[in-house]
């Protein structure tokens, strides 16, 4: 079900900070994961550095411990300094290596215990703590038991190394956020007290005038006041062609000015910019938990309990039942605690989610939560809104029919000469279609109420309008009569064009289909997903567009309040439904659907109601989103099966079931770390996923969304 971005904890953004602070906090590990490692309140890079430092400190003291200890045994070390006994010297070295290096695990175990849970840290505490305390006791009290310092120190080195590498992998999975943050310029030129000054982008205030020159990145969102330029908005829209900007046009922060200079008024700064909102959504998605992760968390809890029970039973069996030496029994017990650490199980799904959502963000597909990422794989019906989703949402010239001996350019030139300067939607559609032609200025323009318009051109008087206008002027259509009837029957608006007393052509205008809609429908059906078109438009128009797109199921003349009911009906039939829409009237349906997809150029309400935002307003991104979801879920399942298989084999090995073949704690730590790294690296392989893309030569795959429509400021 859809979940509002406001329902989740959102990283706080400092509006007055510098650098990345304008966009949000640095990449962070989810709070529960951070607490699991005893790093509550730290950002991910700081956690990586801290774990690295603890590893190197532990290693620095572990090397002499290993060399001095009987376990080293490779050569005779020099005598301990200050005349200290060997066992006391090893105690001092171990006390320098172990308590500090293992402290985060003790903190995390205590936090988990206070919440009534047991986590991975508990097993580390039991293994390291048991070995260290046993060795301290052996130093002063039961010297016959032997010390364990070298084994504990080496064990801790492997554990720290594994967690350091794991956290580096997590940081790599968060590279999408870092890449997004890096899009924003560090500095901005603003007018203050009539003087142009350079300030950090994070300090730009709402209402200030920002100065942009060729090659500059735009620091914050705003509206152009003076000047004109071409702006590259590909970072948001995916469209490579720069967009013309002039007075009144909206500009988006982090986009690139390619040519002229202009000044604009800052309207959204700090956390309210489109880029900051994107960063926030990606962070929220990466910090959320998929249903599979909730199951893995519960399994990890039981795994810890099982490890503790099996460890105690292992000690009892080997020490009391089999009468083995205390050191042997303690060694196997510690091995059980170490090898059972559920790192791999706990990491299986979060890593896949982090990489999957990050990859989606870099491709303009924003998953608001991990549940949507997983649920998108289960969809068997996609319901598309028509207007603004499958279609452009504005009138476009879709067909030109000419009289014998007349070219399309002649018809367009005559029509554009009359309509240039008009703000009527149909007139603008004609002018846009004739943008590549040279159109001479017309004179004597006259609007003819209810019929059309006329004007004088270099080639004679041009009448432009409906059939009534032609009849009024006693102009016959001739062979074009049948074409006019055909076009009207298809639900299109027909503009009749006459020049110098002769009807020269017909211009059919309709809400044009997006260039990628047809391919998106075909690909979805190829993958076994049914497609339904839902619209409030009349049946004739709806069926025409559906036939053009290859859609068999059409729900037309549906009132806004009925769209959610139609989705319910499909769900009642046992279908998992995805809804794609852009308007306010789509919001209830987007919420009702199993997964709601909002077109990026749509309304704030639609995007608040949806689970996934398609930034490029490209219907084909539905296919890419589903493919990414399936790839991510495959990685989740692979990682979970690996984690389960590892622990199934690890327990009997560690407990000595295959005696005399037994594992040392050091080997157990190495295998545990190796298992965790396998999971992390497998998740990172998601970055190699190539999302499907199509682009037709000379066409746009996306309609650039205005900044105000990208994300709500609140």
């Amino acid at each position: 079900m859809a979940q509002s971005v406001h329902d989740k904890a959102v990283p706080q953004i400092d509006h007055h900070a510098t650098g990345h602070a304008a966009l949000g906090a640095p990449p962070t590990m989810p709070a529960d994961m951070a607490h699991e490692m005893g790093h509550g309140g730290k950002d991910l890079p700081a956690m990586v550095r801290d774990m690295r430092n603890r590893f190197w400190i532990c290693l620095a003291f572990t090397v002499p411990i290993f060399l001095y200890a009987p376990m080293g045994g490779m050569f005779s070390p020099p005598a301990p300094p200050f005349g200290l006994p060997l066992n006391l010297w090893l105690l001092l070295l171990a006390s320098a290596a172990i308590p500090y290096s293992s402290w985060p695990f003790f903190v995390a175990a205590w936090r988990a215990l206070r919440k009534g849970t047991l986590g991975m840290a508990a097993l580390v505490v039991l293994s390291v703590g048991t070995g260290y305390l046993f060795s301290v006791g052996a130093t002063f009290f039961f010297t016959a038991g032997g010390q364990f310092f070298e084994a504990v120190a080496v064990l801790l080195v492997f554990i720290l190394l594994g967690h350091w590498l794991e956290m580096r992998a997590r940081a790599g999975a968060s590279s999408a956020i870092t890449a997004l943050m890096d899009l924003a310029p560090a500095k901005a030129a603003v007018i203050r007290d009539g003087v142009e000054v350079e300030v950090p982008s994070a300090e730009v205030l709402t209402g200030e005038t920002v100065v942009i020159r060729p090659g500059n990145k735009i620091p914050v969102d705003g509206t152009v006041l003076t000047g004109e330029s071409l702006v590259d908005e590909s970072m948001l829209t995916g469209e490579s062609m720069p967009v013309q900007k002039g007075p009144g046009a909206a500009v988006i922060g982090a986009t690139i000015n390619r040519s002229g200079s202009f000044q604009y008024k800052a309207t959204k700064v700090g956390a309210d910019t489109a880029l900051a909102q994107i960063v926030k959504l990606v962070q929220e998605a990466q910090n959320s938990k998929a249903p599979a992760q909730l199951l893995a968390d519960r399994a990890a809890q039981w795994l810890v309990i099982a490890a503790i029970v099996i460890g105690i039973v292992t000690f009892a069996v080997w020490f009391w039942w089999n009468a083995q030496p205390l050191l042997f029994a303690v060694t196997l017990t510690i091995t059980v605690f170490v090898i059972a650490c559920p790192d791999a199980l706990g990491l299986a799904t979060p890593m896949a989610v982090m990489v999957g959502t990050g990859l989606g963000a870099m491709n303009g597909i924003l998953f608001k939560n991990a549940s949507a990422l997983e649920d998108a794989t289960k969809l068997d019906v996609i319901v598309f809104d028509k207007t603004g989703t499958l279609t452009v949402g504005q009138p476009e010239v879709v067909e030109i029919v000419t009289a014998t001996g007349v070219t399309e350019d002649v018809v367009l030139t005559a029509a554009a000469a009359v309509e240039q300067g008009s703000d009527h939607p149909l007139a603008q559609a004609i002018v846009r279609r004739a943008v590549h032609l040279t159109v001479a200025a017309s004179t004597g323009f006259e609007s003819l109420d209810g019929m059309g318009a006329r004007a004088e051109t270099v080639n004679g008087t041009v009448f432009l309008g409906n059939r009534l206008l032609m009849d009024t002027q006693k102009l016959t259509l001739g062979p074009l009569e049948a074409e006019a009837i055909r076009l009207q029957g298809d639900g299109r608006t027909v503009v009749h064009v006459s020049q110098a007393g002769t009807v020269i052509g017909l211009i059919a205008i309709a809400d044009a289909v997006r260039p990628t809609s047809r391919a998106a429908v075909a690909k979805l059906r190829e993958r076994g997903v049914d497609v339904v078109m839902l619209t409030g438009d009349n049946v004739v128009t709806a069926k025409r567009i559906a036939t053009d797109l290859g859609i068999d199921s059409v729900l037309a003349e549906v009132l806004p309040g009925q769209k959610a009911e139609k989705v319910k009906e499909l769900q009642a039939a046992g279908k998992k439904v995805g809804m794609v829409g852009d308007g306010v009237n789509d919001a209830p349906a987007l919420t009702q659907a199993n997964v709601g997809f909002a077109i990026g150029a749509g309304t704030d309400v639609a995007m608040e109601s949806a689970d996934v935002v398609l930034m490029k307003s490209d219907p084909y991104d539905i296919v890419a989103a589903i493919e990414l979801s399936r790839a991510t879920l495959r990685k989740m399942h692979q990682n979970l099966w690996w984690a389960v298989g590892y622990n199934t084999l690890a327990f009997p090995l560690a407990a000595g079931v295959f005696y005399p073949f037994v594992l040392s704690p050091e080997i157990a730590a190495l295998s545990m770390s190796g298992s965790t790294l396998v999971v992390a690296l497998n998740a990172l392989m998601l970055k190699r996923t190539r999302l499907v893309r199509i682009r037709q030569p000379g066409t746009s795959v996306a309609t650039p969304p205005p900044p105000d429509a990208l994300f709500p400021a609140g």
Side-chain angles (χ1 to χ4, degrees):
M1 299 300 289
Q3 185 177 10
S4 170
V5 296
H6 301 295
D7 295 337
K8 308 181 196 68
V10 179
Q12 296 299 307
I13 299 175
D14 184 359
H15 291 242
H16 304 287
T18 59
H20 288 170
L23 298 178
T28 59
M29 186 177 290
D32 57 338
M33 299 179 192
H35 287 175
E36 179 73 7
M37 290 304 305
H39 290 282
K42 290 187 178 180
D43 59 72
L44 187 51
M47 293 170 62
V48 173
R49 291 191 298 271
D50 182 71
M51 189 59 64
R52 176 200 63 194
N53 294 339
R54 294 179 189 272
F55 163 75
W56 285 115
I57 290 173
C58 186
L59 180 63
F61 286 100
T62 297
V63 171
I65 292 174
F66 185 81
L67 294 176
Y68 272 101
M71 180 178 169
M74 294 178 290
F75 62 92
S76 298
F82 313 113
L84 292 172
L86 179 60
N87 59 352
L88 191 58
W89 173 236
L90 289 173
L91 171 63
L92 293 175
L93 290 172
S95 298
I98 296 170
Y100 167 75
S101 301
S102 61
W103 183 246
F105 299 100
F106 283 84
V107 173
W110 173 244
R111 286 173 176 165
L113 194 61
R114 287 177 61 184
K115 294 191 298 183
T117 61
L118 292 172
M120 173 279 302
L123 295 179
V124 177
V125 168
L126 284 173
S127 56
V128 173
T130 300
Y132 179 75
L133 293 177
F134 177 87
S135 300
V136 172
T139 302
F140 297 106
F141 305 109
F142 45 93
T143 55
Q147 288 182 324
F148 222 98
F149 289 130
E150 72 279 8
V152 175
V154 174
L155 163 66
L156 188 56
V157 166
F158 284 134
I159 291 175
L160 290 169
L161 176 61
H163 281 81
W164 175 28
L165 296 177
E166 170 195 332
M167 292 163 72
R168 285 187 61 183
R170 290 184 186 271
S174 296
S175 59
I177 293 178
T178 303
L180 288 169
M181 289 178 170
D182 288 340
L183 292 173
K187 299 289 186 178
V190 299
I191 304 295
R192 290 182 178 176
D193 299 324
V195 179
E196 181 180 327
V197 296
E198 190 174 68
V199 300
S201 295
E203 296 181 3
V204 178
L205 304 176
T206 302
E208 284 193 310
T209 298
V210 184
V211 180
I212 299 296
R213 295 183 174 84
N216 288 168
K217 279 190 175 182
I218 296 171
V220 297
D221 301 353
T223 304
V224 177
L225 298 173
T226 61
E228 293 186 351
S229 183
L230 291 172
V231 177
D232 180 359
E233 296 183 336
S234 58
M235 75 92 178
L236 282 177
T237 68
E239 178 56 51
S240 59
M241 294 297 294
V243 181
Q244 182 71 39
K245 300 292 183 181
V251 292
I252 309 170
T255 56
I256 303 172
N257 181 39
R258 292 299 187 192
S259 56
S261 300
F262 62 91
Q263 296 183 4
Y264 75 96
K265 178 182 177 182
T267 57
K268 289 186 177 182
V269 301
D272 295 333
T273 64
L275 182 61
Q277 294 295 309
I278 293 172
V279 170
K280 184 179 75 172
L281 278 185
V282 177
Q283 287 177 321
E284 290 173 350
Q286 293 189 340
N287 291 345
S288 64
K289 289 189 176 183
Q293 175 61 24
L294 299 176
L295 178 63
D297 288 348
R298 289 194 294 271
Q301 291 287 318
W302 285 107
L303 184 62
V304 172
I305 296 172
I308 294 173
V309 172
I310 293 173
I312 295 172
V313 171
T314 298
F315 178 84
V317 168
W318 286 107
F319 184 66
W320 284 306
W321 192 352
N322 290 335
Q324 293 292 326
L326 178 63
L327 184 62
F328 181 81
V330 170
T331 300
L332 289 185
T333 302
I334 292 174
T335 302
V336 169
F337 290 155
V338 172
I339 208 166
C341 284
D343 271 20
L345 186 60
L347 194 63
T349 62
M351 277 294 296
V353 169
M354 291 179 73
V355 177
T357 53
L359 180 61
M362 299 305 294
N363 285 273
I365 304 168
L366 301 185
F367 289 90
K368 287 186 177 181
N369 52 69
S371 294
L373 189 66
E374 186 170 336
D375 291 342
T377 65
K378 307 170 185 176
L379 300 177
D380 42 32
V381 177
I382 296 292
V383 178
F384 282 97
D385 171 57
K386 179 181 73 70
T387 306
T389 303
L390 290 171
T391 66
V392 179
Q394 64 181 8
E396 296 289 349
V397 175
V398 295
E399 188 175 351
I400 300 173
V401 180
T402 65
T404 304
V406 181
T407 65
E408 288 189 4
D409 286 354
V410 170
V411 176
L412 272 177
T413 302
V418 176
E419 299 287 30
Q420 56 185 336
S422 174
D423 59 358
H424 192 280
L426 298 182
Q428 292 180 339
I430 292 172
V431 172
R432 283 195 299 271
R433 181 63 179 265
V435 69
H436 64 289
L437 301 174
T438 301
V439 180
S442 61
T443 60
F445 176 85
E446 180 183 0
S447 178
L448 305 173
D449 291 341
M451 294 186 293
R454 66 172 294 279
E456 298 295 331
T457 70
V458 294
N459 294 315
T461 303
V462 175
F463 285 91
L464 190 73
N466 56 24
R467 175 64 182 271
L468 179 59
L469 177 59
M470 298 297 106
D471 292 342
T472 301
Q473 298 301 315
K474 297 181 172 45
L475 298 171
T476 58
L477 273 64
L480 295 177
E481 179 86 32
E483 292 294 326
I485 295 173
R486 176 183 65 81
L487 293 172
Q488 289 173 339
D490 288 340
R492 294 166 175 173
T493 300
V494 180
V495 178
H496 302 69
V497 184
S498 75
Q499 182 173 263
T502 302
V503 178
I504 61 173
L506 307 172
I507 300 176
I509 298 177
D511 186 5
V513 171
R514 292 184 183 273
T516 59
S517 293
R518 189 176 295 103
V521 171
K523 188 62 68 173
L524 286 170
R525 297 183 65 176
E526 180 185 312
R527 283 163 167 66
V529 179
D530 294 331
V531 179
V532 176
M533 189 175 75
L534 182 65
T535 179
D537 212 340
N538 64 78
V539 175
V540 174
T541 301
K543 287 188 175 181
R544 174 184 61 81
I545 293 177
T547 301
D548 188 32
L549 295 176
I551 299 174
D552 297 327
S553 183
V554 180
L555 302 175
E557 299 179 357
V558 179
L559 298 175
Q562 297 175 328
K563 290 188 175 182
E565 293 299 321
K566 296 297 182 181
V567 173
K568 281 184 181 179
E569 291 175 8
L570 290 170
Q571 291 172 326
K575 304 291 187 180
K576 299 292 185 181
V577 182
M579 174 69 194
V580 190
D582 71 320
V584 173
N585 59 11
D586 298 322
L590 290 170
T591 303
Q592 177 62 41
N594 298 90
V595 181
F597 299 86
I599 291 292
T603 65
D604 292 350
V605 176
M607 285 181 289
E608 280 287 329
S609 305
D611 303 285
V612 186
V613 178
L614 307 178
M615 292 295 300
K616 300 175 184 176
S617 301
D618 185 356
Y620 205 81
D621 277 345
I622 294 290
V623 180
I626 293 176
E627 286 195 348
L628 177 59
S629 299
R630 291 177 177 178
T632 304
L633 194 65
R634 281 197 300 271
K635 291 299 179 184
M636 288 184 188
H637 290 167
Q638 290 169 5
N639 287 347
L640 286 171
W641 278 112
W642 170 265
V644 170
Y646 162 79
N647 283 287
T648 301
L649 181 63
F651 271 131
L653 282 173
V657 172
F658 301 104
Y659 182 85
F661 177 78
V662 294
L663 296 178
S664 67
E666 298 88 341
I667 299 299
L670 187 61
S671 65
M672 182 270 292
S673 299
S675 175
T676 303
L677 285 178
V678 168
V679 167
L681 293 174
N682 187 48
L684 289 176
M685 291 294 288
L686 260 176
K687 290 187 175 182
R688 300 171 65 89
T689 303
R690 295 290 182 264
L691 300 183
V692 290
R693 283 289 181 270
I694 61 170
R695 182 180 294 272
Q696 300 175 11
T699 64
S700 171
V701 296
T703 301
D708 289 345
L710 282 170
F711 295 97

